[in-house]
Amino acid sequence: MKKNYYVTEHIGKFFIYVLFLIISFLVFYPLVYLVSAAFSPGNGIASLNIVPFKDGVTLKHFLYLFQKTHYWLWFKNTLIISLWTTLWTVVISSLSAYIFSRFRFVFKKSLMIALLILQIFPSFVGMIAIYVILLRVGGLDTRWGLILVYVAGNIPYNTWMVKSYMDTVSRNLDEAARIDGASHFRIYSTIILPVVKPIITFLAISSFTGPWMDFIFPKMVLRSPENQTLALGLFAFVSDKKNEFTNFAAGSLIIAVPFVIFFLLTQKAMMMSMGAGAVKE
């Protein structure tokens, strides 16, 4: 009886391991295939071998991106848009969350519900209105116009998220600082922000990744080649007129490098801030 139990247990573990291997293969194979395509000598997706790296390794696609395209210009535009979006989203959302969390005023609950309702509707519902507004204010085909769209879209949900986290921070910290003569802005900048650094770090990561990978809004707002982002530039390699999948894969691989570095740096900051701790209610 005991022997049968061990046999059944080992069979169960075997099937679990097999299932995990299958899931891991399904998850990692597309990533490995993309990396293999970036270094493959071929050009189109039909010329690629199903076995990664079987066709050999070459750097010609990376050289093509750097020497014969405006890849660095696309990269610079995307980085500027992502960084400014992240900065303004963090500043505005954290300030708004501090006000909603620490102050009582007329229509506070109504404004919070309005922010929640604004977040319910998908962003593409207001694309026509966004286009008209940018046209009226001269924001079409400009980086600042696209940044304005991203920041406005980020504020409702992120204000709710940061406000919910700030509500868990003890108000005793505020009262102690106020007794010492600190202003509200000083309390916000020197007391509250260090305590809520984990959620601020998460907010910075999510605000950065959105513009970094977005295609829809840059396609709508940006027109001239000098303002194109990475998503627009790379999409041209796999359009109806072109089938340069390997160049697309090489450009996509480079996109991931700064994002991974940014994530690792902010992840470390998040873990350190979580370990610091603070007085919570």
Side-chain angles (χ1 to χ4, degrees), residues 25 41 69 72 76 144 147 173 178 220 224 240-241 263:
F25 175 80
T69 69
W72 286 121
K76 184 189 75 171
W144 69 263
I147 293 170
L173 298 175
R178 197 171 294 114
M220 181 187 72
S224 56
D240 295 335
K241 298 179 181 180
F263 178 78

Side-chain angles (χ1 to χ4, degrees), residues 262-275:
F262 177 81
F263 178 78
L264 291 176
L265 292 176
T266 51
Q267 184 186 43
K268 183 178 180 180
M270 182 184 294
M271 297 303 297
M272 291 175 62
S273 58
M274 284 182 175

